[in-house]
Amino acid sequence: MSKPSSLFEILDEYSAALIKAMTEAIRGGAFPYKQNNIAYLLSELPKPERVQAALAAVTEQDKLALTWLHSRGGQVGYGRLRDLLATHDMLAEPRTTGRTARIEGKQRRLPRFNPSAKGKTFFENLIVRLTLKGLLFSRGAREAGKTKVDWLHGLIIFLPDYVMAELEKRPLMSLPAFSQPSSAGGFQRDVGRMARYINRVGTVQLTTQGALYKNVMRELADLLSFEVNLSSGKKEFDNGRLYFIRRLLPKLDLVDQRYGNMPLTAVPNAYFWQLGLPERIEQCFRAWRDDGAWNELHQLHHYKRGVDRSYDAPKGLRDSRRTVLDHVKRLGSGWVRIYELIEEVREQDYGFLLEKRKYSRGGWGYYSYSSGGSHPYTSSNNPYGAGFEGISSEKDGWDKVEADFINHLLAGPMQWMGLVQVGYSNEPKADFLGNNHIDAYRLTPFGEWLVGLAKEPETAVSPTQLIVQPNFEIVVMGNSNGEMLLTMDQFADSVNESEHVSTFVISRESVYRGQQGGWPTKRIITFLEEQAGQPIPQNVQRTLAEWGALQERIVIRRNVRLLETVDEAKAAELVTLLGDGKTR
């Protein structure tokens, strides 16, 4: 069904009652006859100043509907537009009257229209509200026996040419009002901090559920650049970014974990830290995209049960992830509204996540299983064994699960890794799981590179500068590749780490730890002087030498038969204590 070719043809398809209401809404009063009202609307509706004023007064729901219609060429079936608004949680349940009518073959209650209602409204009311303003129209009567479109909208929703032209000049939705910063370098620093923490402690035990203990979470929270929710009852699984990094570490060979819920054992992977920033970012991206380090399903709003977090994501889920990334690539650079991505995936890859079956007449339809429900969102009806709650049908499930999967992919892993910047129409609340509903996203230069839109970004590498201060603090400045920080952990304690500055302190205990790990004081002094490019302060050098001498005075050697003492009297005393009775 094509859009009418003229404004007269558009208006003539409406009932006299609705044409009268439209004239009253714009003029403040109506004429007695339909032809007079149409004549008035023909002259008034296309006026640029009127269109601009009407567009300036629309709600956020209206903006989304109009902007999406404009992006789709100005015309779409009403069901698609309704699904879009429902996916974005912008629709209320309709209020109905006592009157019923046969609509599209079924007897239904008619909505109770109130175009001046404030706040969230139902779909039919939204269409009438925009129609009365002359911003949006429909055609093809849905109510049986009617030849004209009345208060109930028609089958096809479309924008008139004068609104299309105005939206070309002045888009309603441009940059998001709020955006969340995203840093690939910052993510790499957090990966390094967690890996170095495990390297310092040696082994990290997990709970019986396969999660970090609360005391470990507290210690990590002091090191990482993002907030960790340590509230009562909150676990590692309630902190998506923390859990995501921890799941990546075995895939990057930075820790060893035989099974998903076994302890984490340190692996000082010097090779990884010798890589440049782009190579490390790419390894993290591939570990997520290809190696199954993350399972998005258990992060979704309506997920209930069935996913074992300790297992890698199965191949089918990784394929789903790649499908979404292909569409992200197709939509290109710059700010992209999330609904554009969701609708493109819905149109072109409807069954990308959970397999759907078809009605015999064509079109996507319902599952017909003997048990477990009539849609793929119960654990027995999908290959992942994942169950979701609050879902009434396949269509309802797509809006709640597939759309949420796409949203989490961007608001969670891609944003955490610094590959997309996400935007919001309103100031967002704290998001610990990466599943706040976003309004828009924009690929960062690293994101454009990894989805295949651009070449590898050039990264400025400033030389690392190390300064040893007389108070035994060591300051590391610049874009360290992580290897130096890993080395510093051997004999010094990290006290503060910001974006470009890391501070360590040397103590007698830390030096002793270094000696135990193969870092005698002479080696420590040599390393610090080589990295600083000059001698370290004399008091630090002298104290390190003294600590080394003290800790080397007593050396215990096992399985030897020679004992050397200061004098014979001391030797005799020690032999007596040992119970031998003879001097050797």
Side-chain angles (χ1 to χ4, degrees):
M1 187 181 294
S2 61
K3 185 167 67 173
S5 59
S6 67
L7 182 55
F8 174 81
E9 189 179 348
I10 293 172
L11 296 174
D12 191 50
E13 285 201 16
Y14 278 92
S15 68
L18 196 57
I19 291 294
K20 180 181 178 182
M22 195 182 306
T23 306
E24 288 175 342
I26 296 171
R27 181 174 178 265
F31 300 99
Y33 302 106
K34 180 180 179 179
Q35 61 267 32
N36 300 113
N37 290 319
I38 287 180
Y40 169 79
L41 294 174
L42 287 173
S43 65
E44 191 68 21
L45 289 181
K47 289 181 179 178
E49 62 274 15
R50 190 210 68 81
V51 179
Q52 293 165 16
L55 289 172
V58 297
T59 67
E60 288 302 314
Q61 295 164 300
D62 300 339
K63 285 182 182 179
L64 180 58
L66 293 169
T67 302
W68 188 73
L69 266 171
H70 176 254
S71 72
R72 312 305 288 182
Q75 177 174 301
V76 74
Y78 79 89
R80 297 294 309 285
L81 182 59
R82 184 182 59 195
D83 290 346
L84 168 75
L85 295 169
T87 300
H88 284 67
D89 193 28
M90 286 192 167
L91 295 180
E93 287 295 320
R95 296 182 178 182
T96 58
T97 66
R99 192 168 75 87
T100 63
R102 192 163 185 80
I103 300 171
E104 298 172 9
K106 292 184 179 181
Q107 203 71 18
R108 304 177 189 272
R109 288 183 178 273
L110 290 172
R112 187 188 302 275
F113 294 102
N114 181 11
S116 61
K118 304 295 183 182
K120 189 187 293 188
T121 188
F122 56 91
F123 181 71
E124 291 82 1
N125 211 26
L126 180 145
I127 300 301
V128 165
R129 181 172 68 203
L130 291 174
T131 300
L132 294 180
K133 294 178 179 180
L135 297 177
L136 172 152
F137 296 100
S138 66
R139 71 177 314 197
R142 297 170 58 206
E143 189 173 343
K146 290 205 170 186
T147 58
K148 302 289 185 180
V149 177
D150 206 336
W151 290 87
L152 180 66
H153 62 76
L155 294 167
I156 300 296
I157 310 293
F158 62 91
L159 299 178
D161 291 341
Y162 57 81
V163 173
M164 287 286 288
E166 193 61 38
L167 292 177
E168 290 287 346
K169 294 185 293 184
R170 298 179 181 83
L172 284 175
M173 303 174 76
S174 53
L175 294 179
F178 298 90
S179 62
Q180 189 167 325
S182 181
S183 169
F187 180 78
Q188 291 303 308
R189 285 187 289 275
D190 285 326
V191 168
R193 288 162 185 164
M194 188 180 290
R196 286 168 47 223
Y197 169 84
I198 297 172
N199 192 65
R200 287 195 295 270
V201 301
T203 299
V204 173
Q205 300 290 337
L206 301 180
T207 67
T208 54
Q209 291 80 31
L212 294 174
Y213 282 97
K214 200 67 169 279
N215 66 312
V216 175
M217 289 174 58
R218 290 192 188 95
E219 292 173 358
L220 285 171
D222 292 334
L223 301 175
L224 301 172
S225 66
F226 54 89
E227 183 181 358
V228 177
N229 189 351
L230 298 171
S231 304
S232 176
K234 296 299 181 182
K235 301 179 181 179
E236 182 189 16
F237 304 140
D238 300 306
N239 289 273
R241 186 172 182 174
L242 174 72
Y243 186 43
F244 179 71
I245 294 175
R246 202 261 286 174
R247 290 284 300 175
L248 285 181
L249 295 183
K251 301 297 182 183
L252 300 171
D253 293 325
L254 295 176
V255 302
D256 181 57
Q257 188 179 32
R258 185 168 298 179
Y259 302 109
N261 55 0
M262 296 293 285
L264 306 169
T265 306
V267 176
N269 185 349
Y271 169 75
F272 181 82
W273 303 116
Q274 291 168 2
L275 297 174
L277 179 62
E279 289 81 7
R280 284 183 280 133
I281 293 169
E282 183 178 21
Q283 285 208 11
C284 289
F285 174 72
R286 291 185 183 279
W288 163 67
R289 188 192 65 183
D290 303 332
D291 291 346
W294 189 244
N295 190 319
E296 285 84 356
L297 295 180
H298 64 75
Q299 298 293 116
L300 305 184
H301 284 100
H302 293 272
Y303 168 75
K304 187 175 183 181
R305 65 169 68 92
V307 173
D308 190 327
R309 293 181 175 90
S310 65
Y311 289 0
D312 284 359
K315 182 181 182 301
L317 199 61
R318 291 177 242 169
D319 291 341
S320 301
R321 198 179 291 137
R322 282 177 169 272
T323 298
V324 176
L325 291 173
D326 287 343
H327 287 284
V328 168
K329 177 182 178 180
R330 276 198 284 271
L331 289 174
S333 305
W335 283 106
V336 178
R337 294 289 167 179
I338 185 68
Y339 63 77
E340 294 182 52
L341 175 62
I342 289 172
E343 289 308 305
E344 178 168 305
V345 176
R346 190 199 303 263
E347 280 184 357
Q348 299 180 23
D349 285 292
Y350 182 81
F352 81 102
L353 182 61
L354 302 178
E355 181 189 359
K356 309 298 190 297
R357 297 188 177 179
K358 295 181 180 181
Y359 283 126
S360 58
R361 69 171 185 266
W364 296 104
Y366 295 95
Y367 270 71
S368 297
Y369 284 89
S370 58
S371 63
S374 59
H375 54 70
Y377 302 99
T378 57
S379 57
S380 60
N381 286 355
N382 64 69
Y384 308 122
F388 300 88
E389 59 186 350
I391 293 175
S392 59
S393 66
E394 180 185 301
K395 176 185 171 301
D396 181 46
W398 208 103
D399 292 339
K400 290 177 178 176
V401 176
E402 275 85 349
D404 201 19
F405 179 93
I406 296 168
N407 186 88
H408 172 70
L409 184 146
L410 296 167
M414 291 286 282
Q415 196 275 332
W416 294 333
M417 289 188 288
L419 306 182
V420 298
Q421 183 181 6
V422 296
Y424 305 87
S425 297
N426 301 300
E427 187 171 4
K429 60 182 180 180
D431 184 10
F432 292 100
L433 292 176
N435 61 10
N436 271 1
H437 172 73
I438 66 174
D439 292 297
Y441 69 90
R442 177 174 63 181
L443 289 166
T444 65
F446 283 110
E448 292 178 345
W449 167 49
L450 290 173
V451 302
L453 280 172
K455 295 181 180 179
E456 177 185 320
E458 294 184 4
T459 54
V461 180
S462 61
T464 302
Q465 184 179 5
L466 183 146
I467 301 172
V468 182
Q469 303 189 94
N471 64 352
F472 296 89
E473 282 190 352
I474 303 173
V475 180
V476 181
M477 297 182 291
N479 295 327
S480 171
N481 65 4
E483 187 179 11
M484 179 185 290
L485 302 183
L486 196 66
T487 300
M488 294 293 302
D489 284 332
Q490 304 300 311
F491 55 81
D493 294 318
S494 174
V495 293
N496 184 47
E497 295 187 28
S498 59
E499 186 170 355
H500 296 296
V501 179
S502 299
T503 305
F504 295 81
V505 65
I506 296 177
S507 66
R508 183 172 176 176
E509 291 76 15
S510 69
V511 170
Y512 178 69
R513 182 181 73 235
Q515 286 181 311
Q516 297 298 104
W519 281 84
T521 52
K522 288 183 180 179
R523 185 183 179 190
I524 294 173
I525 293 171
T526 300
F527 173 82
L528 293 176
E529 290 185 340
E530 287 178 350
Q531 298 300 321
Q534 61 183 1
I536 64 176
Q538 287 188 354
N539 70 306
V540 176
Q541 186 174 10
R542 184 172 58 252
T543 303
L544 284 174
E546 291 173 356
W547 287 343
L550 286 171
Q551 290 159 358
E552 291 168 2
R553 281 183 64 183
I554 300 175
V555 180
I556 298 175
R557 304 186 188 277
R558 301 182 183 276
N559 300 319
V560 297
R561 301 183 62 82
L562 176 66
L563 177 64
E564 182 180 352
T565 63
V566 177
D567 52 45
E568 289 186 6
K570 180 63 68 176
E573 181 182 349
L574 287 171
V575 169
T576 301
L577 289 172
L578 291 171
D580 193 325
K582 295 180 180 180
T583 304
R584 290 191 169 98

